[in-house]
Amino acid sequence: MTSLLSVVNVSKVYQMDGVVFQALDSVSLSIKKGEFVAIMGPSGSGKSTIMHIIGCLDRPTSGKVFIEGKDIFKADDQELAEIRNTHIGFVFQQFNLLRKTSSLSNVELPLIYAKVPANERHERAKATLVEVGLSDKMSNFPSQLSGGQQQRVAIARALVTNPSIILADEPTGNLDSKSGRDIMTIFDRFHKAGKTIILVTHEKDIAKHAKRIISLKDGKII
Amino acid sequence: MNFTEYIKLAINALRTNKTRSLLTMLGIIIGVASVILLVSIGTGLQKWVTEQFQSMGANTIMVMAGDVDVTQGPRGAMMSASKFELSDVADIERGSDAIKQVSPMVQGFGSFSYGGKTSSTEVWGLWENYFDIAKFEPEYGRIITQNDVERSRRVIVLGNKPSKDLFGDGANPVGKTLTLNDVQFEIVGVLKSKGGGGAMGSADDFTAIPITTAMRQFDRDRPFMMFIEAIDSEHVAQAKTDAEKVLLRRLEDDEFTVLESTQLLETITQFLSVITAALGGIAGISLLVGGIGIMNIMLVSVTERTREIGLRKAVGATPRDIMMQFLIESVILSLFGGAIGIGLGSLGSLGINQFIGTSVTLWSVLLAFGFSASIGIIFGVTPAIRAARLDPIEALRYE
Ligand SMILES: Nc1ncnc2c1ncn2[C@@H]1O[C@H](COP(=O)(O)OP(=O)(O)OP(=O)(O)O)[C@@H](O)[C@H]1O
Ligand SMILES: [Mg+2]
């Protein structure tokens, strides 16, 4: 099976006031379609940095990233936005939902940028919210939802475009253990349905859900 | 993302911040309203002046003695001695197809007294046809007739103002006898008021007697000036050149001046349009201030919504999408404010209309609308570009 995602010799160097800091040091990895991978490592080891690069939110200083064979290093800002929209579903630790905006509208957001017509948008967003168990919270604002429910809205938003890869950076980091387990049940279910998932976590219990674990330390894979 | 989506998005964003949107629009509202209002007052004034002239007779041409400066008005002529003859009247009338009639005038000054009351004003010696040319009608009695002229009768027609001064408002003095420079005159008529001022000062402040009587009274043997009426407004210019040609046969170039009333009108309306433009310009400055207000608020809005912008980018918004979102927001703000401003300005103009005739012109509405749209774009571009350029990661981390 060919790899859905390959990262080849990726380095990321930050420069601040002349101080050079290497957040990633020649990282290479490859992920196949349908895999469920956890990235682990201590704080500051570069987990979020590699996730941002894979998610096309950031560019590597050197090295290459291929998503479905496409070299994203060459893409301009416009193309990166399109790749994020069609290939990537990002779940953040802080949920990042739009305030004063209903769950349904939050989930519809990526579809607006995918130029999906309004009717189809509503239908798909509703269906995805049902899948994450929020059929009764569609018109609630984020402020009227629990943390676990907010994260489920965020997962629905990541899934609604039917992306090639779901990236989740510490999705349970802001949740109590019960809500965290609920979230992981959802990820398990999507994995069984054939989705490709990359998850960053500190917790061993959470990482156990993944089928493969990649460990990072000081910007290197160990 | 298509255009309707952008507009929906912008309206939604403006609705979630109603108070702020309204306050931002206020600058544009006030600016546009004052442009509309001030320009409408200016145009109203121009219209009023034009109407005043038309009531004087728009087709009239004045022939004055000497070399008269147009901007000084007819009074500049009083310094020069007249070289006109009564025969010029017939010569001019015969000399052009564009001329309907000509009327000579002898001018003097009179002190009046009646029953212990005294007053003084100009006395014009006229023919009957002057009243037709200048469109004067009697309120009481009659006008000077050609019969009066032939017989050099001592009859007088009072303008509305001297009648009021001597006999009071609304009184009918016809039939009474007054003294003009110690000579007795019978009042045969009072003219209807034209109100306001005209080319000859207040149109109501004069008295009229037969020209023959005036020549004897004031010891003159020449007409002081002549009034020419063209057959219609299109022939005024031709009537003027023809009259000049006739007079040049007998007189020198600098011994007379032929003056269209429209020339004077042009000078005045030109002056008024400068004032209108100046008023509009001052109001335009407040529109500019309103635009800067929009920019300020949009910049604050971009900063406040940094995380939202980051998130939108993360789920696939292109830099263009973000740019359009903010640009359309500011354009909607300014257009909506512009529309309200036009409404308020027109309402205000309607209110003032009770005092001076104002008129809201289409061009000022279009100008105000176009101006507010451009303000939305010009002052919205900087914040929109700033939003579009935000780095998604940094935007998402923004507290
Ligand atoms: N914009 C930046 N400028 C400078 N240094 C940065 C920047 N972003 C990240 N870093 C540094 O890069 C390193 C890796 O950061 P990263 O966020 O990837 O860590 P992480 O593994 O996700 O940690 P955590 O588990 O705490 O989230 C850190 O030492 C961080 O200080
Ligand atoms: Mg991190």
Side-chain angles (χ1 to χ4, degrees):
Chain A
M1 204 183 190
T2 58
S3 60
L4 174 68
L5 166 84
S6 41
V7 174
V8 185
N9 277 331
V10 161
S11 296
K12 181 77 185 178
V13 177
Y14 289 111
Q15 232 170 338
M16 276 175 85
D17 308 321
V19 183
V20 177
F21 181 83
Q22 180 136 28
L24 289 177
D25 188 358
S26 299
V27 171
S28 294
L29 56 87
S30 161
I31 287 165
K32 291 190 193 71
K33 194 165 166 14
E35 269 198 286
F36 189 172
V37 177
I39 297 177
M40 294 195 76
S43 185
S45 56
K47 305 184 296 292
S48 294
T49 307
I50 188 72
M51 288 291 263
H52 291 152
I53 289 172
I54 295 171
C56 298
L57 286 166
D58 205 355
R59 292 165 191 275
T61 313
S62 64
K64 290 191 173 216
V65 178
F66 297 92
I67 295 173
E68 289 190 339
K70 194 183 273 175
D71 183 358
I72 65 164
F73 194 71
K74 287 192 188 129
D76 63 17
D77 284 354
Q78 168 96 23
E79 287 167 322
L80 280 186
E82 278 158 21
I83 295 170
R84 287 198 292 271
N85 187 242
T86 49
H87 291 288
I88 310 288
F90 222 111
V91 180
F92 303 92
Q93 185 175 352
Q94 291 91 349
F95 323 140
N96 281 330
L97 299 176
L98 296 184
R99 297 174 313 121
K100 293 186 184 171
T101 307
S102 68
S103 309
L104 190 66
S105 300
N106 263 295
V107 176
E108 275 185 49
L109 194 63
L111 296 178
I112 293 178
Y113 294 108
K115 303 183 178 72
V116 175
N119 290 342
E120 190 188 335
R121 228 156 58 202
H122 294 315
E123 293 315 310
R124 279 170 70 176
K126 272 183 200 159
T128 318
L129 275 169
V130 171
E131 278 189 70
V132 297
L134 287 176
S135 47
D136 56 338
K137 302 286 182 193
M138 302 223 187
S139 51
N140 289 45
F141 290 161
S143 57
Q144 300 163 330
L145 296 173
S146 74
Q149 288 166 339
Q150 287 185 54
Q151 192 60 301
R152 279 191 270 161
V153 174
I155 291 172
R157 182 182 62 198
L159 283 164
V160 76
T161 53
N162 198 20
S164 329
I165 310 166
I166 294 162
L167 300 174
D169 192 352
E170 302 195 46
T172 59
N174 278 8
L175 300 176
D176 61 78
S177 49
K178 162 78 173 66
S179 307
R181 278 199 300 280
D182 290 347
I183 296 295
M184 289 319 295
T185 319
I186 293 172
F187 279 122
D188 283 340
R189 221 174 59 225
F190 284 117
H191 169 56
K192 286 212 181 75
K195 298 274 172 206
T196 313
I197 301 167
I198 305 175
L199 177 98
V200 165
T201 184
H202 279 311
E203 300 164 63
K204 289 234 159 55
D205 283 350
I206 299 291
K208 273 198 305 212
H209 290 261
K211 302 297 173 274
R212 171 153 75 110
I213 293 176
I214 295 169
S215 288
L216 273 180
K217 192 168 189 280
D218 296 332
K220 290 193 192 91
I221 293 185
I222 49 170
Chain B
M1 208 172 160
N2 65 31
F3 205 70
T4 34
E5 295 289 350
Y6 286 132
I7 289 176
K8 263 194 229 158
L9 194 64
I11 288 176
N12 246 328
L14 294 174
R15 275 235 293 272
T16 40
N17 259 316
K18 277 195 204 76
T19 318
R20 178 198 281 183
S21 305
L22 214 78
L23 286 174
T24 314
M25 274 191 284
L26 210 57
I28 296 290
I29 293 174
I30 292 171
V32 169
S34 44
V35 167
I36 299 278
L37 196 60
L38 290 177
V39 169
S40 86
I41 290 173
T43 356
L45 275 176
Q46 284 180 39
K47 215 169 90 185
W48 181 73
V49 167
T50 314
E51 277 167 7
Q52 283 300 308
F53 267 84
Q54 249 137 24
S55 76
M56 278 284 296
N59 306 341
T60 341
I61 296 162
M62 286 180 273
V63 184
M64 282 178 277
D67 200 7
V68 182
D69 179 2
V70 182
T71 51
Q72 298 244 294
R75 289 187 196 277
M78 288 170 194
M79 300 298 132
S80 319
S82 168
K83 295 259 172 82
F84 301 138
E85 303 275 0
L86 266 174
S87 60
D88 291 334
V89 174
D91 286 347
I92 293 172
E93 218 168 59
R94 236 181 294 120
S96 170
D97 292 339
I99 290 173
K100 188 174 161 197
Q101 54 186 337
V102 184
S103 181
M105 191 257 260
V106 164
Q107 196 230 28
F109 201 77
S111 303
F112 302 91
S113 64
Y114 177 85
K117 272 194 188 169
T118 55
S119 171
S120 56
T121 187
E122 285 173 25
V123 180
W124 296 0
L126 299 166
W127 279 5
E128 180 173 350
N129 64 357
Y130 173 79
F131 298 88
D132 183 33
I133 294 175
K135 301 196 167 54
F136 273 112
E137 284 171 12
E139 180 161 18
Y140 302 115
R142 60 174 177 85
I143 54 171
I144 303 290
T145 62
Q146 218 48 27
N147 193 291
D148 295 330
V149 175
E150 276 158 29
R151 298 177 186 209
S152 308
R153 282 214 184 97
R154 286 214 277 271
V155 290
I156 187 164
V157 170
L158 301 180
N160 206 272
K161 184 165 183 294
S163 168
K164 211 185 282 176
D165 289 347
L166 282 170
F167 301 99
D169 217 349
N172 180 358
V174 171
K176 295 189 164 111
T177 304
L178 54 63
T179 36
L180 157 59
N181 298 350
D182 302 327
V183 180
Q184 307 249 307
F185 275 78
E186 189 198 340
I187 301 168
V188 292
V190 175
L191 298 175
K192 273 188 189 156
S193 170
K194 282 190 173 180
M200 302 296 293
S202 169
D204 293 332
D205 194 8
F206 76 102
T207 58
I209 59 178
I211 192 167
T212 42
T213 318
M215 287 171 126
R216 218 183 297 153
Q217 275 288 316
F218 299 112
D219 197 20
R220 304 268 157 80
D221 51 2
R222 293 169 184 280
F224 172 74
M225 61 199 278
M226 287 178 281
F227 294 92
I228 299 173
E229 187 182 9
I231 50 173
D232 55 41
S233 55
E234 269 94 74
H235 286 83
V236 173
Q238 209 215 311
K240 187 184 168 203
T241 20
D242 288 347
E244 272 165 351
K245 233 180 270 168
V246 171
L247 286 169
L248 278 173
R249 290 206 294 254
R250 211 175 56 74
L251 298 173
E252 289 302 314
D253 189 359
D254 60 352
E255 284 172 335
F256 69 95
T257 303
V258 181
L259 203 65
E260 297 172 56
S261 57
T262 48
Q263 248 173 319
L264 203 59
L265 176 65
E266 262 165 36
T267 318
I268 296 176
T269 45
Q270 222 166 38
F271 170 70
L272 281 176
S273 56
V274 169
I275 292 205
T276 308
L279 288 177
I282 291 166
I285 291 173
S286 68
L287 209 52
L288 199 73
V289 174
I292 294 170
I294 286 196
M295 176 145 95
N296 184 27
I297 294 296
M298 291 310 292
L299 283 173
V300 170
S301 174
V302 168
T303 312
E304 245 181 22
R305 285 150 71 187
T306 300
R307 278 177 76 92
E308 175 192 327
I309 294 164
L311 187 268
R312 285 181 184 276
K313 288 193 156 190
V315 300
T318 61
R320 184 173 172 273
D321 286 333
I322 300 294
M323 163 130 180
M324 288 299 277
Q325 176 183 348
F326 282 90
L327 199 56
I328 286 177
E329 250 179 60
S330 69
V331 169
I332 287 180
L333 266 182
S334 60
L335 276 187
F336 206 64
I340 296 177
I342 288 170
L344 283 181
S346 310
L347 248 145
S349 156
L350 220 72
I352 293 180
N353 199 16
Q354 322 212 314
F355 309 105
I356 14 165
T358 55
S359 62
V360 177
T361 50
L362 185 68
W363 72 264
S364 70
V365 170
L366 291 180
L367 191 82
F369 218 73
F371 214 75
S372 36
S374 353
I375 275 182
I377 293 171
I378 292 166
F379 290 97
V381 154
T382 314
I385 287 180
R386 183 176 291 192
R389 285 204 186 136
L390 283 176
D391 177 78
I393 304 272
E394 272 169 36
L396 279 170
R397 279 210 194 108
Y398 186 83
E399 293 302 325

